[in-house]
Amino acid sequence: MAGAFGTQISRTMAVARYDAGGWSTPALEKTAPLALDPAAHVLHYSSSCFEGLKAYRHDDGSVHAFRLDRHCARFAASAEVLCLPMPPVALVRSMILDLVAACRDDIPPYPGALYIRPVLLGTEPNIGAAAKASSEALLFVLASPVGDYFQGGEKPLKLMIEESGMRSAPHFGMVKTGGNYASALRCIQQAREAFGADQVLFCPDGQVQETGAANFLLLDDQRIMTKGLDSAILHGVTRDSLLSLGGELGYEIVERDFTVDQLLEWVTHGEAALSGTAAVLASVGSIVRGGVEHHVGDGGIGANAKRLRKALADIHAGRAADTFDWLTEVPA
Ligand SMILES: *Cc1c(COP(=O)(O)O)cnc(C)c1O
């Protein structure tokens, strides 16, 4: 039903436009190529940001968006750093809910989901506006039915440590913008070619941050440790959810800076994993530093990562109580 993650897009999208008159009334439209002026601000000066969240179908047929308000708030925060106009949160929220309702029949049963991708672009047709905020903008929301991320079994990931370069400019790391992905891509491509790495763990000056598209967590039977939030890393909603749940499960939650040396010491006995909306929590099996491969624990799927992922997945699926009030039911 759902193809590879992100390849299948629903027939309906939600659209709103901004110009001097303010925001248009949002509309549901047929998903189709966009008409953008070739001089549009985003095509030259990368004025764009996006979000990624999921809606899940529960066993009783009801549909629930996960941490909708948190994603809307982060979307607005990204837009602010990029000097892009953003409609009131209530409007973005209702665009998403209306779209999910319209795409309801596309949503596969759990562990499938509807992945929701809001995007905001600066569209002012002016290639002279290099040092000026775009006076026009386009906001659209796509929906994409996705299957089980670990279809065919979970394979532990191989990470390459990058200590000289960085993923993004330090003040921009918390912004969910395509520019950061463009900035990290070459490094990831090279790590894939040289070491068969799945992802690069960016550790400028030996300080562990995150990978190109996921936050990085260390786990053992007692603790969950991850870098504290600052402007250099993306403030992952999955990270936040796992830390809240981990605390409830009795883990000590440690948010602090740590070095690559401390990381390599940790993985002689503990676990490492990546968190993000797409995979929720994916175990790391090995880490390459300076061409040398280090196994993480026994190189397999970590027991604590598995336990934590299941705890969150049960909330997604409506099979555990939503004690943190993270689900928003989408009206039929
Ligand atoms: C989206 C993203 C994440 C994960 O965020 P979630 O809200 O958990 O999906 C982590 N790092 C980067 C760089 C991201 O773009």
Side-chain angles (χ1 to χ4, degrees), residues 11 76 88 101 118 145 148 208 221 240 289 295:
R11 280 189 307 278
D148 181 358
V208 177
D221 294 347
D240 182 82
R289 183 201 207 179
H295 283 283

Side-chain angles (χ1 to χ4, degrees), residues 50-53 70-71 74 115 117 167 173 175-177 180-181 210-216 232-241 275-278 280:
F50 66 95
E51 268 304 318
L53 66 155
R70 187 84 178 206
H71 283 280
R74 188 174 68 188
Y115 181 80
R117 169 56 63 87
R167 181 180 68 92
V175 183
K176 207 162 177 73
T177 182
N180 287 342
Y181 283 72
E210 64 170 326
T211 66
N215 294 120
F216 182 75
I233 64 166
L234 206 282
H235 299 190
V237 176
T238 316
R239 171 193 178 280
D240 182 82
S241 307
S275 78
T277 293
V280 180

Side-chain angles (χ1 to χ4, degrees), residues 3-286:
F5 191 93
T7 56
Q8 189 185 336
I9 307 294
S10 290
R11 280 189 307 278
T12 306
M13 63 180 183
V15 182
R17 292 181 176 80
Y18 176 86
D19 62 21
W23 283 96
S24 68
T25 303
L28 293 176
E29 297 180 1
K30 187 173 169 340
T31 304
L34 302 170
L36 273 186
D37 193 297
H41 198 271
V42 62
L43 299 178
H44 303 265
Y45 307 122
S46 294
S47 46
S48 76
C49 57
F50 66 95
E51 268 304 318
L53 66 155
K54 279 178 176 171
Y56 297 94
R57 181 187 293 287
H58 289 179
D59 294 335
D60 65 1
S62 61
V63 170
H64 304 257
F66 184 69
R67 303 202 70 177
L68 176 59
D69 293 316
R70 187 84 178 206
H71 283 280
C72 288
R74 188 174 68 188
F75 195 31
S78 292
E80 192 178 336
V81 178
L82 287 156
C83 305
L84 280 167
M86 176 61 81
V89 164
L91 188 138
V92 178
R93 204 177 181 279
S94 67
M95 282 175 78
I96 292 171
L97 290 174
D98 289 350
L99 178 67
V100 176
C103 299
R104 205 182 175 88
D105 293 344
D106 294 350
I107 308 178
Y110 192 85
L114 191 70
Y115 181 80
I116 303 154
R117 169 56 63 87
V119 182
L120 178 63
L121 309 174
T123 53
E124 180 184 344
N126 178 2
I127 59 173
K132 219 173 117 282
S134 176
S135 63
E136 297 175 21
L138 171 67
L139 169 55
F140 62 94
V141 188
L142 300 180
S144 173
V146 295
D148 181 358
Y149 194 86
F150 296 111
Q151 214 160 19
E154 183 181 359
K155 185 176 131 298
L157 300 171
K158 184 195 277 193
L159 303 188
M160 192 202 81
I161 302 262
E162 170 61 46
E163 289 172 274
S164 48
M166 44 177 101
R167 181 180 68 92
S168 70
H171 69 291
F172 236 60
M174 64 182 287
V175 183
K176 207 162 177 73
T177 182
N180 287 342
Y181 283 72
S183 161
L185 182 59
R186 202 159 106 105
C187 186
I188 297 168
Q189 189 82 12
Q190 288 170 345
R192 191 177 296 131
E193 282 163 15
F195 303 107
D198 298 292
Q199 279 291 347
V200 170
L201 181 61
F202 290 92
C203 310
D205 297 323
Q207 298 289 325
V208 177
Q209 291 187 338
E210 64 170 326
T211 66
N215 294 120
F216 182 75
L217 281 73
L218 295 175
L219 309 93
D220 66 14
D221 294 347
Q222 280 84 42
R223 279 176 301 171
I224 303 171
M225 184 158 95
T226 189
K227 177 178 167 42
L229 297 177
D230 63 19
S231 66
I233 64 166
L234 206 282
H235 299 190
V237 176
T238 316
R239 171 193 178 280
D240 182 82
S241 307
L242 292 169
L243 294 186
S244 298
L245 267 180
E248 204 181 47
L249 291 173
Y251 290 94
E252 181 194 350
I253 306 302
V254 184
E255 293 183 72
R256 69 162 172 90
D257 287 349
F258 55 95
T259 64
V260 174
D261 289 332
Q262 289 167 326
L263 157 63
L264 292 178
E265 162 59 25
W266 180 288
V267 301
T268 59
H269 65 280
E271 305 170 22
L274 299 183
S275 78
T277 293
V280 180
L281 192 61
S283 281
V284 175
S286 70

